[in-house]
Amino acid sequence: MIDPWGSTTLDYEKLIEQFGIKPFADFIGEVESPNHLMTRGIIFGHRDYGRIVKALREKNPFAVVSGMMPSGKMHIGHKMIVDQLIWYQKKGADIYIPIADMESYSARSIDFETSKELAISEYITNYIALGLDLENKNTSTYLQSENKTVGNLAYKLAKKVTFNEMKAIYGFHGSTNIAHLYVPLIQVADILHPQLEGCGGPKPSVVPVGPDQDPHIRLTRDIAERFKSQFKFIPPSSTYHRFITGLTGDKMSSSKPNSAIFLSDSPETAEKKVKSAKTGGKDSLDEQRKYGGIPEVCTVYELLLYHLEPSGKKLTELYESCKNGNIMCGECKKNVAEMMKDFLIHFSKKRENSKKTAQKILEREPKC
Ligand code: SF4
């Protein structure tokens, strides 16, 4: 069982085998100007992405739904989802960004007011600063607790879901509070509501997620089938991305400050963190010159792969230099630390400039 509220380490290959997630590589040649996360294998799996490829090719309407749960500071790993949304926005998709304040309340005990403040000051501000246009007429950002369409749909959908089913999917038990039990239905409604008549009717949709969120996707697809005759829902597609490794070698997590580079870190703090990050280097310079490093297990290399190095050619050159023992970790870390510092110098200015717009985003009427 995958626990979407836990912190299990995931075996990506196993997921593909066990849960019927298909390799994303199958589609890479069919997507026009694919995102670097797609070409570099970071987005590794999908369900029914063919519908999205078709919509992209034929320029038909489709929706992208990607929630944010305000529960802590955003780190560099979270940037990945925003990069995907920017890509889809440029492709003309309708973008829906539910702010999961109900989930924060039921699963993390964060009250609604705190969630809203955190969503604005941290998440919405960063999303804008990273380049997502939240004022775009086809983009809707809303609080789950305030969206009546979503709330009403969740209640209707709940009619065809049993407690036993929720127990089997999420491991809920007798002492699980009812709010927590109900919140997956809100997420299902978040994903399906863009297909309601008032929102433009049935259309392909895609949810880009980490594989830990797959239980929600499977539940949503099942429920979409159950309500097919009533709402004509098309089961949503999904894509799955790998998680960036923390600088300490385990999971990058907001609750472990040394494992993560926060988008609000000062450039100097980030520089220091990169310089002390775990690498795939050898114990001595002699050994490294002789046998080379292992970029596949290097967290510094991952920073380049996921975020900092736009050029595929330069990335390949570094990979080769590392493997051949032509570059040592000290020099490499220094270069990457400098790139990270530069990124944050520019980003902190963008963050300052985004604050005013961020305050206004939740005052906009949701698209539906
Ligand atoms: Fe990582 Fe660079 Fe060292 Fe290779 S040389 S292991 S990429 S830090």
Side-chain angles (χ1 to χ4, degrees):
M1 182 184 294
I2 309 175
D3 174 8
W5 296 283
S7 56
T8 17
T9 310
L10 296 157
D11 179 336
Y12 299 111
E13 306 298 328
K14 217 173 185 176
L15 280 170
I16 288 185
E17 267 171 41
Q18 268 187 358
F19 293 100
I21 292 173
K22 299 276 187 306
F24 192 84
D26 293 351
F27 277 115
I28 205 66
E30 296 183 46
V31 178
E32 198 188 321
S33 49
N35 183 292
H36 74 283
L37 300 166
M38 296 171 172
T39 53
R40 296 180 183 181
I42 296 164
I43 296 174
F44 69 92
H46 75 94
R47 289 187 194 275
D48 276 342
Y49 198 70
R51 289 195 188 110
I52 303 302
V53 172
K54 188 166 182 280
L56 282 164
R57 193 169 47 225
E58 296 174 4
K59 307 227 177 306
N60 289 333
F62 71 101
V64 183
V65 185
S66 173
M68 57 167 96
M69 183 160 83
S71 65
K73 288 198 289 181
M74 270 180 81
H75 58 63
I76 191 90
H78 296 125
K79 175 175 172 287
M80 209 181 348
I81 204 79
V82 187
D83 287 342
Q84 294 181 63
L85 293 177
I86 293 169
W87 186 83
Y88 282 117
Q89 190 171 60
K90 285 185 183 147
K91 298 277 182 192
D94 290 346
I95 311 260
Y96 291 84
I97 306 174
I99 298 168
D101 60 341
M102 293 177 78
E103 187 179 354
S104 280
Y105 175 75
S106 64
R108 305 271 159 93
S109 301
I110 298 175
D111 66 73
F112 289 98
E113 205 40 50
T114 306
S115 269
K116 185 174 177 179
E117 279 166 24
L118 194 58
I120 296 171
S121 64
E122 180 72 10
Y123 289 74
I124 293 178
T125 304
N126 284 331
Y127 275 41
I128 298 170
L130 287 168
L132 188 66
D133 178 8
L134 293 184
E135 294 178 295
N136 183 299
K137 68 175 178 19
N138 294 328
T139 298
S140 185
T141 310
Y142 64 87
L143 289 159
Q144 282 178 327
S145 63
E146 290 182 4
N147 190 316
K148 266 223 156 298
T149 309
V150 168
N152 290 342
L153 179 62
Y155 196 75
K156 285 181 193 161
L157 300 178
K159 181 85 164 75
K160 290 192 186 175
V161 183
T162 65
F163 175 62
N164 280 344
E165 193 181 359
M166 297 299 269
K167 227 164 65 173
I169 299 173
Y170 297 107
F172 290 154
H173 40 77
S175 57
T176 303
N177 71 70
I178 304 290
H180 194 177
L181 194 76
Y182 186 63
V183 96
L185 271 305
I186 297 283
Q187 292 178 344
V188 172
D190 280 327
I191 297 171
L192 294 177
H193 89 284
Q195 299 195 51
L196 293 176
E197 282 309 325
C199 308
K203 62 175 87 58
S205 59
V206 59
V207 193
V209 288
D212 57 330
Q213 298 301 308
D214 193 47
H216 297 316
I217 303 291
R218 279 182 278 147
L219 177 66
T220 308
R221 286 166 56 87
D222 284 351
I223 294 178
E225 290 289 354
R226 283 172 217 170
F227 284 86
K228 207 166 197 167
S229 57
Q230 191 176 345
F231 294 109
K232 303 196 171 44
F233 288 140
I234 300 170
S237 310
S238 48
T239 60
Y240 303 88
H241 50 254
R242 292 168 196 272
F243 293 113
I244 192 167
T245 312
L247 304 175
T248 41
D250 45 14
K251 199 181 169 198
M252 188 173 286
S253 161
S254 302
S255 59
K256 290 183 276 172
N258 286 335
S259 74
I261 289 176
F262 295 103
L263 293 174
S264 52
D265 271 348
S266 74
E268 294 71 26
T269 304
E271 186 186 15
K272 271 190 214 143
K273 284 184 182 177
V274 176
K275 283 187 176 165
S276 50
K278 185 174 173 287
T279 72
K282 295 285 186 301
D283 289 341
S284 74
L285 291 179
D286 273 353
E287 268 185 77
Q288 186 142 346
R289 275 190 204 104
K290 203 165 164 192
Y291 302 112
I294 313 173
E296 292 85 350
V297 297
C298 176
T299 67
V300 177
Y301 183 77
E302 271 197 30
L303 289 173
L304 294 170
L305 181 76
Y306 280 67
H307 299 296
L308 294 175
E309 182 50 78
S311 158
K313 187 170 169 272
K314 284 191 186 166
L315 198 65
T316 312
E317 281 167 8
L318 174 70
Y319 181 90
E320 297 296 340
S321 297
C322 171
K323 281 275 189 207
N324 298 334
N326 292 335
I327 184 164
M328 299 296 110
C329 292
E331 181 192 346
C332 187
K333 279 210 257 192
K334 197 164 160 265
N335 295 341
V336 179
E338 201 57 41
M339 288 166 92
M340 181 56 80
K341 193 175 160 191
D342 274 356
F343 168 78
L344 284 173
I345 289 171
H346 289 109
F347 185 70
S348 61
K349 283 187 199 134
K350 288 186 193 156
R351 248 173 85 95
E352 275 314 303
N353 295 338
S354 305
K355 284 184 177 167
K356 231 173 157 179
T357 312
Q359 291 294 333
K360 294 184 292 185
I361 295 302
L362 292 180
E363 288 162 16
R364 298 169 84 228
E365 270 299 301
K367 199 169 147 65
C368 51

